[in-house]
Amino acid sequence: MLSIAETDLGTPTSTSNALVALTIDGVDVRVPAGTSVLRAAAGAGIEIPKLCATELLDAFGSCRLCLVEVEGMKGFPASCTTPVAPGMKVTTGGAKVERLRRGVMELYLSDHPPGALAGGFGTEMQRMAERLGVDTVRYGVDPAQPRPVDASNPYFRFDPAQCIVCSRCVRACDEQQGTFALAVQGRGYASAIVAGQDEPFMDSDCVSCGACVQACPTGALMEKSLLEHGQATRSVVTTCAYCGVGCSFRAELQGERLVRMVPNKDGHANHGHSCVKGRFATGYVTHRERILEPMLRAKISDPWRTVGWDEAIAHVAAEFRRIQGKYGRDSIGGITSSRCTNEETYLVQKLVRAAFGSNNVDTCARVCHSPTGYGLKSTLGESAGTQDFDSVMHADVILVIGANPTDAHPVFASQLKRRLRRGARLIVVDPRRIELVRGAHVRADHHLQLRPGTNVALLDALAHVIVVEDLVDEAFVRERCEIDSFARWRAFVAGAENSPEALEAVTGVPAADVRAAARLYATGGNAAIYYGLGVTEHSQGSTAVMAIANLAMATGNLGRVGVGVNPLRGQNNVQGSCDMGSFPHEFPGYRHVADDGVRATFERAWGVPLQAEPGLRIPNMFEAALDGEFKGLYIQGEDIAQSDPNTQHVTAALMAMECVVVQDLFLNETAKFAHVFLPGSTFLEKDGTFTNAERRVSRVRKVMEPRGGYADWEVTQLLSNALGYPMRYAHPAEIMDEIARLTPTFAGISFARIDELGSIQWPCNDEHPAGSPTMHVDAFVRGKGRFMLTEYVPTSEKVTAKYPLLLTTGRILSQYNVGAQTRRTDNNRWHAEDRLEIHPHDAEQRGIRDGDWVGIASRAGETVLRALLSDRMQPGVVYTTFHFPGSGANVITTENSDWATNCPEYKVTAVEVTRVGQPSDWQQRFRAADERQRALLAQARHATAADTR
């Protein structure tokens, strides 16, 4: 069902620049060529009844309600499939047309359950019947037994009795999502919509994106929340708080109660599409486990004590000042969140620098995309991707390396698959056979199934072919790049040691496949690279990013639509947290703290002297804590005890601190080691902005009051004031105004400007007042592009007789990051545990069957998971996800990290896998500790409940 706040114009917009003049019901209309008569009329304020048509899908012409009369044309053409023509004269409401429409609607209603239109939901079927004045049916009711209602999906139900087989759901699944999970079965009167092989939705290939639900005009497919609560009464546009796609949604509510999330058809990143997380997984907002009052305790073995906000803030300020007085200025620090807004992240780094007096601030991007910042800054001059998502629709060749878009960035993946179905070629570089390699109507031309840890070797081999076979875009390099650095790079990659044949034994990829892929990338037209954490989370993550940039520069695939280097960011505001100065060596806008001029600008604005030396990175904080030098940490919205590698090392560091402050929604794994808990706020409870993977800054709008009393930015402001550094912001818009004043790439961004344009891609300034969908158009940000030498250096994490397998990690569609949000929703129906994927050959050698409990041991630790036999893995490589804390995925990952940024090497861990019968020692200790911490929390809640009685 469509949003209550949107008007559907019937068919997609035309992209033509040519205008066509016509008249509709005597009204002069001018629209782009290729526009349908239906859309042209709607744009002129003339409603033509419709049921099978929606602007989110291509015209279909099956319902016959949108019939019109066109002067000089025989019969009554369907306006949805009839394009406008110069001088065309259209009549939309003659007596004959209205009679035909009423007859068609009566036939639809004759096959509809009595009273089905009386639900008060305002479905399109109901509105069209009212518009045509049809409320009775002359025909008999079919006595046949209706197909049963399918309520198997936790978020929506399908009632076949209300279905008119308009095929909008089928087309939405095909055209928008690209899963092809729905079909029309049977013919004529016996035709019916079915999922999969006529099975329940939950048993089919349906990925629960909800596109079919949104498309359904009759209510046959409808959200269970809508059925339970009734229609919403207000709608607020905001931005999703899950992955880096940054989908725009309409939150539809009754008062403070969220009824449903509807993808915004005007959303620039998602164009009215969504995934199961963004559309449905919002139950965590009101989950019973949310902590809504501040809590304190002296030791982590003590029960929590619920306190008021004033006492909590005063306590934190006193403790931080005490620690600094005893151990020195640099003994405390802060960690910003990629789940929080730009404004909140900006305030945390400002708090650390101006109130704490140090640069000891870092962010979760340290453990995901910090190599992107380093690698792209070094080569192109800016720490961000080069294109908008729509650019992929103009790509001829798409290279996906170290990314699994269908699971981690599903809305972008749907767009990518649409382009592939229209003829683009695909190269996938991944140790695992991801869905894009072989999926519904999508097949990769080349799957380079390399060994984990050999990205740089493979990229050098691709570059070798391009250079040796004279596939370099010499004119582009000559005009846009440093000639000296290019000459050095050309000589380096041309070396025989970098040939595909020489590196085949390293990567495991046949040389002929590498050569074919290189030729396709270099000669296939517009070529775009999309990469993810499978590139960055390696000991050579920064090197691999630079190698990717080298490939794009060498082939001229930068600076225009359809090409580019595109990092797929994992969380909703990873890009923004980096933009806002969350790294210990950079102010907002990626400007180094050692730059005297930059530092002076911030000193004048903030009114305090600032440090010129970079502060501690997260791993350095842990080491300093274990050395007794780092004693206090303010963590906003991050769960480092679950997300960071070598869990036992992380928790030991937390236990060595004297004041750990966690600001979050739930008692997460880090909070179990905290001395202060400050309630956080969800994205629905705050105002601000997120910046997605395409540098798009979008508004986050408060749709309900913060359940804990304050939005996150307000908590940071209270703490700063208590520490003696005044912050006096009345609204996040004022924070963005300060960001714009101090950050050149954000100079033209404000809440008012975003409201006007819908969203803005930075850089936005006088030169680019509407933002920059494509970067490096005429020149690179650094001037000339710089080629970097990317020598392959094998990781020190090697297989041995004791640890003969390589473990790599990733994500799954239904869960998100550490699972704090999605695990508290019905998404657990799809993925209730982390499992170990293992190739059948490796499993057979170890006597492992599907579903067996297996121990996974590494140099860092040991855990136990259930086995999932899968030939998606190559022999010698195993795979798991990390969404559940008890799985202990990061107990076995090591402290190996990227040479430049300390980004952990999550993707390469040498392990052995054996069949076992009980949890690991760590898991047994974890469960006991978890029970103790939950009991301590329960004591606090019982005490609070007793005090209120």
Side-chain angles (χ1 to χ4, degrees):
M1 184 173 174
L2 301 174
S3 167
I4 60 172
E6 292 179 340
T7 299
D8 188 282
L9 301 181
T11 58
T13 185
S14 169
T15 58
S16 174
N17 293 321
L19 294 179
V20 171
L22 69 157
T23 61
I24 303 177
D25 291 346
V27 177
D28 291 332
V29 177
R30 289 172 63 85
V31 294
T35 301
S36 71
V37 169
L38 177 63
R39 186 180 180 97
I46 301 168
E47 182 185 31
I48 299 174
K50 60 181 176 62
L51 279 177
C52 74
T54 169
E55 65 179 283
L56 297 175
L57 305 171
D58 292 338
F60 196 58
S62 69
C63 75
R64 315 309 295 172
L65 279 185
C66 70
L67 305 178
V68 294
E69 292 182 88
V70 178
E71 186 176 283
M73 188 178 292
K74 291 183 178 180
F76 301 92
S79 60
C80 66
T81 55
T82 302
V84 297
M88 178 182 277
K89 293 183 179 180
V90 179
T91 302
T92 69
K96 290 183 179 179
V97 168
E98 288 296 318
R99 185 168 66 251
L100 287 170
R101 289 174 180 159
R102 284 194 295 271
V104 170
M105 177 55 74
E106 192 175 358
L107 287 170
Y108 280 133
L109 291 180
S110 70
D111 195 29
H112 224 51
L117 301 184
F121 297 109
T123 65
E124 291 175 79
M125 183 82 163
Q126 181 179 348
R127 290 190 296 104
M128 291 304 109
E130 293 172 354
R131 156 78 170 74
L132 295 169
V134 179
D135 55 9
T136 59
V137 176
R138 293 169 290 170
Y139 311 110
V141 178
D142 178 21
Q145 195 72 12
R147 296 168 66 92
V149 172
D150 181 357
S152 62
N153 190 286
Y155 295 121
F156 61 85
R157 70 95 175 95
F158 175 48
D159 182 1
Q162 298 190 47
C163 178
I164 61 172
V165 199
C166 67
S167 294
R168 266 170 61 165
C169 59
V170 177
R171 291 182 287 132
C173 190
D174 296 354
E175 296 175 26
Q176 279 189 286
Q177 172 56 32
T179 297
F180 297 84
L182 304 180
V184 179
Q185 178 177 281
R187 298 179 64 84
Y189 191 72
S191 61
I193 301 295
V194 298
Q197 301 298 312
D198 195 5
E199 55 197 329
F201 269 83
M202 279 297 286
D203 297 336
S204 72
D205 291 333
C206 170
V207 294
S208 299
C209 69
C212 59
V213 179
Q214 186 171 353
C216 180
T218 68
L221 284 157
M222 187 173 284
E223 297 97 332
K224 290 182 177 179
S225 59
L226 193 58
L227 291 165
E228 179 182 357
H229 301 302
Q231 188 56 272
T233 56
R234 64 186 183 99
S235 178
V236 181
V237 175
T238 191
T239 303
C240 181
Y242 280 117
C243 79
V245 175
C247 294
S248 177
F249 276 88
R250 291 185 178 274
E252 300 201 336
L253 306 98
Q254 296 170 347
E256 292 264 305
R257 174 195 284 162
L258 180 67
V259 176
R260 62 177 187 153
M261 299 290 288
V262 182
N264 179 13
K265 69 181 179 68
D266 296 322
H268 295 159
N270 60 316
H271 305 295
H273 192 37
S274 68
C275 77
V276 62
K277 295 187 290 290
R279 190 190 294 263
F280 295 123
T282 55
Y284 70 91
V285 174
T286 54
H287 196 275
R288 65 183 182 280
E289 291 184 356
R290 270 195 71 179
I291 301 174
L292 304 178
E293 295 177 284
M295 302 187 302
L296 306 177
R297 59 182 176 182
K299 302 190 300 293
I300 65 171
S301 58
D302 291 345
W304 288 102
R305 180 169 62 89
T306 300
V307 299
W309 275 104
D310 291 345
E311 181 179 349
I313 295 297
H315 176 82
V316 174
E319 277 294 281
F320 280 172
R321 286 304 185 214
R322 177 189 68 78
I323 290 171
Q324 285 187 309
K326 183 176 180 180
Y327 299 101
R329 180 194 64 202
D330 294 329
S331 58
I332 63 173
I335 296 177
T336 73
S337 175
S338 294
R339 291 191 288 129
C340 290
T341 65
N342 286 317
E343 294 73 19
E344 289 163 341
T345 302
Y346 175 85
L347 284 199
V348 172
Q349 64 86 32
K350 182 177 180 179
L351 169 81
V352 172
R353 293 191 160 101
F356 291 5
S358 77
N359 286 318
N360 290 342
V361 62
D362 210 349
T363 183
C364 81
R366 172 68 54 210
V367 300
C368 62
H369 267 286
S370 52
T372 285
Y374 185 93
L376 295 185
K377 185 83 168 179
S378 300
T379 51
L380 309 182
E382 193 59 271
S383 301
T386 62
Q387 315 294 126
D388 62 5
F389 288 139
D390 289 348
S391 173
V392 76
M393 298 307 293
H394 301 275
D396 300 305
V397 178
I398 299 165
L399 193 164
V400 176
I401 175 170
N404 186 7
T406 55
D407 279 25
H409 304 86
V411 172
F412 169 69
S414 293
Q415 190 173 25
L416 186 155
K417 289 189 291 184
R418 193 176 312 130
R419 177 61 189 137
L420 294 174
R421 293 196 300 274
R422 294 178 184 177
R425 311 283 295 279
L426 175 65
I427 303 165
V428 172
V429 181
D430 202 285
R432 186 166 171 259
R433 193 185 73 240
I434 62 174
E435 182 184 323
L436 286 177
V437 173
R438 188 168 66 243
H441 296 263
V442 170
R443 185 176 292 268
D445 293 85
H446 302 285
H447 177 204
L448 309 184
Q449 196 169 14
L450 77 174
R451 293 193 182 100
T454 63
N455 286 334
V456 172
L458 182 69
L459 290 164
D460 285 347
L462 291 169
H464 175 91
V465 176
I466 290 169
V467 165
V468 171
E469 297 189 6
D470 295 325
L471 304 180
V472 171
D473 187 335
E474 300 284 356
F476 182 91
V477 171
R478 199 164 42 246
E479 178 185 351
R480 299 286 303 273
C481 303
E482 295 175 350
I483 300 303
D484 291 345
S485 69
F486 171 70
R488 288 191 295 271
W489 174 80
R490 182 201 288 265
F492 162 71
V493 297
E497 69 276 8
N498 288 318
S499 71
E501 290 76 15
L503 291 171
E504 181 173 330
V506 173
T507 65
V509 181
D513 293 348
V514 176
R515 288 189 176 277
R519 293 164 186 150
L520 176 59
Y521 175 77
T523 65
N526 285 342
I529 300 176
Y530 295 88
Y531 71 89
L533 304 183
V535 165
T536 58
E537 291 178 345
H538 286 272
S539 62
Q540 280 198 289
S542 294
T543 310
V545 173
M546 292 187 289
I548 287 171
N550 289 342
L551 282 181
M553 288 189 291
T555 55
N557 280 304
L558 287 163
R560 64 182 186 276
V561 174
V563 298
V565 173
N566 304 279
L568 296 174
R569 304 282 187 162
Q571 296 191 62
N572 55 300
N573 203 36
V574 170
Q575 182 69 59
S577 69
C578 299
D579 298 342
M580 294 298 103
S582 292
F583 288 133
H585 66 290
E586 289 176 332
F587 288 117
Y590 304 99
R591 290 165 294 165
H592 205 282
V593 296
D595 187 310
D596 292 340
V598 170
R599 196 170 63 258
T601 298
F602 283 92
E603 287 175 337
R604 286 192 298 271
W606 294 352
V608 293
L610 301 171
Q611 300 301 312
E613 290 294 321
L616 298 176
R617 297 172 175 179
I618 291 175
N620 305 134
M621 294 180 188
F622 297 156
E623 295 303 326
L626 291 171
D627 289 341
E629 299 170 356
F630 189 82
K631 292 293 185 177
L633 185 58
Y634 172 47
I635 308 168
Q636 184 184 83
E638 286 301 325
D639 193 1
I640 56 177
Q642 184 181 344
S643 64
D644 284 36
N646 197 344
T647 299
Q648 296 176 91
H649 182 74
V650 175
T651 55
L654 289 170
M655 288 189 286
M657 299 183 200
E658 295 181 5
C659 185
V660 175
V661 181
V662 168
Q663 184 175 327
D664 218 302
L665 305 176
F666 306 101
L667 188 76
N668 60 24
E669 300 312 302
T670 307
K672 295 171 184 176
F673 298 90
H675 307 89
V676 181
F677 186 94
L678 303 176
S681 54
T682 71
F683 77 112
L684 296 174
E685 301 165 348
K686 62 180 71 173
D687 284 295
T689 57
F690 292 151
T691 305
N692 74 350
E694 49 174 358
R695 296 170 284 103
R696 186 179 303 282
V697 185
S698 301
R699 283 279 279 114
V700 179
R701 294 179 176 86
K702 184 168 71 172
V703 304
M704 59 180 67
E705 291 302 314
R707 298 186 66 215
Y710 291 106
D712 290 310
W713 68 270
E714 294 176 299
V715 176
T716 304
Q717 178 166 275
L718 288 171
L719 178 55
S720 184
N721 291 334
L723 286 165
Y725 181 78
M727 291 186 184
R728 297 286 185 263
Y729 304 102
H731 191 272
E734 298 175 6
I735 305 173
M736 177 53 75
D737 290 342
E738 180 175 313
I739 294 166
R741 288 194 300 270
L742 295 173
T743 312
T745 49
F746 277 68
I749 297 179
S750 66
F751 279 28
R753 186 68 169 147
I754 297 173
D755 290 344
E756 176 187 351
L757 297 178
S759 66
I760 300 174
Q761 289 177 266
W762 66 260
C764 178
N765 45 37
D766 291 341
E767 186 178 354
H768 305 284
S772 307
T774 304
M775 291 193 70
H776 315 297
V777 173
D778 298 313
F780 293 110
V781 171
R782 69 181 310 276
K784 296 288 187 178
R786 183 184 183 190
F787 284 83
M788 302 293 290
L789 300 187
T790 56
E791 180 182 357
Y792 168 64
V793 178
T795 173
S796 61
E797 184 68 7
K798 294 179 170 60
V799 295
T800 64
K802 185 176 181 180
Y803 303 112
L805 303 174
L806 286 178
L807 169 72
T808 189
T809 61
R811 303 186 180 194
I812 201 163
L813 172 64
S814 58
Q815 297 288 352
Y816 171 68
N817 204 30
V818 297
Q821 294 146 275
T822 46
R823 281 188 283 108
R824 291 174 171 90
T825 71
D826 282 328
N827 279 28
N828 286 343
R829 290 276 300 277
W830 288 278
H831 188 78
E833 61 177 335
D834 294 317
R835 298 185 69 174
L836 184 80
E837 285 191 25
I838 183 170
H839 191 276
H841 173 74
D842 293 328
E844 183 179 10
Q845 284 188 324
R846 291 161 175 79
I848 295 169
R849 294 171 299 182
D850 194 69
D852 282 350
W853 290 103
V854 294
I856 309 104
S858 74
R859 295 176 180 89
E862 184 175 353
T863 192
V864 172
L865 301 173
R866 284 202 301 146
L868 176 64
L869 272 59
S870 171
D871 64 1
R872 297 177 69 174
M873 304 308 303
Q874 56 185 292
V877 180
V878 293
Y879 168 89
T880 191
T881 52
F882 55 93
H883 304 301
F884 291 81
S887 71
N890 281 325
V891 171
I892 51 180
T893 53
T894 70
E895 293 179 83
N896 276 14
S897 64
D898 174 50
W899 62 272
T901 66
N902 284 132
C903 181
E905 192 175 37
Y906 291 112
K907 304 305 183 187
V908 185
T909 304
V911 299
E912 177 58 296
V913 177
T914 56
R915 189 176 176 187
V916 299
Q918 64 180 12
S920 69
D921 290 344
W922 178 87
Q923 285 172 314
Q924 294 180 55
R925 294 196 303 273
F926 169 83
R927 291 173 186 175
D930 181 64
E931 290 175 4
R932 286 196 301 273
Q933 289 296 324
R934 290 183 181 277
L936 295 174
L937 176 61
Q939 290 180 41
R941 286 182 158 168
H942 291 155
T944 301
D947 290 343
T948 58
R949 285 198 289 267

